[in-house]
């Protein structure tokens, strides 16, 4: 969310949406910022890689690791000049999967 806001120095819109199915929950962050070049996208999450003047290059790396430790993943799609969408995908716990299955019957 912080990166989305910072990608729009003159203001803009950040959309947060959620969805789920029987297996996972998805939290989507979409901005209309500057977008990310393909070269930079390939390096996202690498330790100490940053495009920010005062950045450490640890924020996204830690976020990726936290999500991975919970058996999830972060998908990133971006177009330069159009914006970026990040989807945080986390699996539902086994008990939650069973509850959703019972509700849909």
């Amino acid at each position: 969310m912080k990166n989305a806001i910072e990608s729009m120095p003159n203001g803009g819109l950040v959309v947060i949406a959620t969805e789920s199915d029987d297996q996972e929950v998805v939290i989507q962050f979409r901005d209309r910022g500057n977008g990310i070049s393909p070269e930079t996208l390939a390096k996202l999450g690498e330790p100490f890689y940053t495009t920010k003047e005062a950045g450490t290059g640890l924020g996204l790396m830690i976020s990726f690791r936290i999500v991975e430790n919970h058996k999830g993943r972060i998908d990133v799609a971006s177009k330069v000049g159009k914006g970026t969408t990040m989807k945080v995908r986390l699996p539902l716990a086994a008990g939650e999967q069973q509850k959703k299955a019972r509700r849909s019957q």
Side-chain angles (χ1 to χ4, degrees), residues 72-92:
R73 71 180 193 272
I74 299 176
D75 297 331
V76 184
S78 188
K79 290 190 181 210
V80 175
K82 299 286 185 183
T84 301
T85 299
M86 289 201 165
K87 291 183 179 181
V88 179
R89 298 177 174 277
L90 295 166
L92 290 174

Side-chain angles (χ1 to χ4, degrees), residues 22-33:
D22 293 339
Q23 301 297 315
E24 68 181 1
V25 64
V26 180
I27 307 159
Q28 176 178 277
F29 300 88
R30 187 174 62 236
D31 68 55
R32 294 183 182 158

Side-chain angles (χ1 to χ4, degrees), residues 4-89:
I5 292 168
E6 290 175 354
S7 77
M8 300 179 294
N10 298 318
L13 180 67
V14 177
V15 175
I16 303 168
T18 61
E19 60 185 83
S20 66
D21 59 24
D22 293 339
Q23 301 297 315
E24 68 181 1
V25 64
V26 180
I27 307 159
Q28 176 178 277
F29 300 88
R30 187 174 62 236
D31 68 55
R32 294 183 182 158
N34 298 326
I36 304 169
S37 72
E39 298 80 25
T40 299
L41 267 177
K43 295 180 182 182
L44 282 185
E46 287 184 12
F48 307 109
Y49 177 77
T50 184
T51 59
K52 297 178 184 177
E53 191 173 310
T56 62
L58 296 175
L60 274 178
M61 182 207 72
I62 291 169
S63 297
F64 277 97
R65 295 272 165 81
I66 290 169
V67 171
E68 287 170 3
N69 285 339
H70 288 281
K71 309 275 188 269
R73 71 180 193 272
I74 299 176
D75 297 331
V76 184
S78 188
K79 290 190 181 210
V80 175
K82 299 286 185 183
T84 301
T85 299
M86 289 201 165
K87 291 183 179 181
V88 179
R89 298 177 174 277

